[in-house]
Amino acid sequence: MRGTRRREIAEAMRLQDRRRFLPAEVVDDHDRDRPLPIGYGQTNSQPSTVSAMIELLEPFPGMRALDVGSGSGWTSAILGELGGPDSRIFAVERIPELVQRSREAIDQPWVSVHQAVPDVLGLPDQAPFDRILVSAMAEGPPTSLIDQLGDGGILVAPWADTMHRVRRTGAETEITDHGGYSFVPLVHTRF
């Protein structure tokens, strides 16, 4: 199963070509396994990190997923590819220019990009979600996002320089660690 999931993720990443989500000045570096600047102090995460995070997320067809800190929109489009047209993928980004750029790059009608609301983490009005992906480093567990998970939901997020997976079952959560990572900071005034 794990090998199959990796192949599905690799194919989704190929179909949602990274070049479409990059500014012209870095597009020639699209095949390098490193983060690339997309402006405004933000990056498009390196492909190996994106793949590892999505594998931890365990996406599935028809899921309701939230992509927090969606930046260029690349991860949102990959989630849309994996979820298919019966899914609903919600991306949220705080920088208006990146919101506009990612709306133009994403060609799946089941993926929507939302401007972040100040002092609100995620999209609580659209909750619950089956899957939540966070692509920015938090200081600690993002409890307001964990609260947006549905029963059986999974959140993958970095905090305290470590990648974590949170699995929610009823009122209980199980948190596991999955190695050290570096990300731009999650900008938010409260969790």
Side-chain angles (χ1 to χ4, degrees):
M1 180 66 169
R2 191 172 187 178
T4 301
R5 182 171 287 132
R6 284 185 179 162
R7 284 191 297 277
E8 289 171 352
I9 293 168
E11 179 64 7
M13 292 173 75
R14 185 189 69 74
L15 290 170
Q16 294 300 319
D17 191 336
R18 189 182 191 199
R19 286 177 281 203
R20 207 168 75 237
F21 299 90
L22 295 172
E25 57 271 15
V26 297
V27 77
D28 289 342
D29 294 328
H30 74 278
D31 58 349
R32 298 183 73 186
D33 190 30
R34 67 179 181 92
L36 296 175
I38 57 173
Y40 313 96
Q42 305 303 301
T43 60
N44 175 284
S45 296
Q46 68 189 65
S48 61
T49 298
V50 170
S51 179
M53 291 177 72
I54 292 175
E55 185 175 354
L56 288 171
L57 196 65
E58 300 177 16
F60 61 91
M63 66 182 165
R64 281 180 58 83
L66 175 63
D67 186 12
V68 178
S70 57
S72 68
W74 187 43
T75 54
S76 307
I78 294 166
L79 291 174
E81 193 68 40
L82 293 164
D86 292 333
S87 67
R88 289 292 314 269
I89 312 299
F90 300 84
V92 63
E93 171 57 48
R94 68 181 180 86
I95 298 169
E97 293 84 356
L98 294 179
V99 169
Q100 184 58 38
R101 193 184 307 162
S102 61
R103 283 177 177 162
E104 292 167 3
I106 295 170
D107 59 4
Q108 303 145 313
W110 56 93
V111 178
S112 58
V113 182
H114 301 262
Q115 176 69 51
V117 174
D119 295 328
V120 176
L121 188 56
L123 293 172
D125 291 346
Q126 298 292 335
F129 297 102
D130 301 310
R131 301 292 186 262
I132 300 177
L133 181 68
V134 183
S135 298
M137 186 69 68
E139 293 177 9
T143 55
S144 60
L145 287 176
I146 294 169
D147 290 344
Q148 293 174 48
L149 279 175
D151 190 18
I154 296 174
L155 174 141
V156 173
W159 67 80
D161 298 321
T162 302
M163 187 63 63
H164 296 86
R165 176 171 49 197
V166 178
R167 189 180 303 266
R168 183 177 192 165
T169 306
E172 301 295 316
T173 56
E174 173 194 19
I175 300 175
T176 54
D177 298 349
H178 298 274
Y181 285 85
S182 178
F183 281 87
V184 297
L186 181 62
V187 177
H188 185 67
T189 57
R190 66 169 194 232
F191 293 121

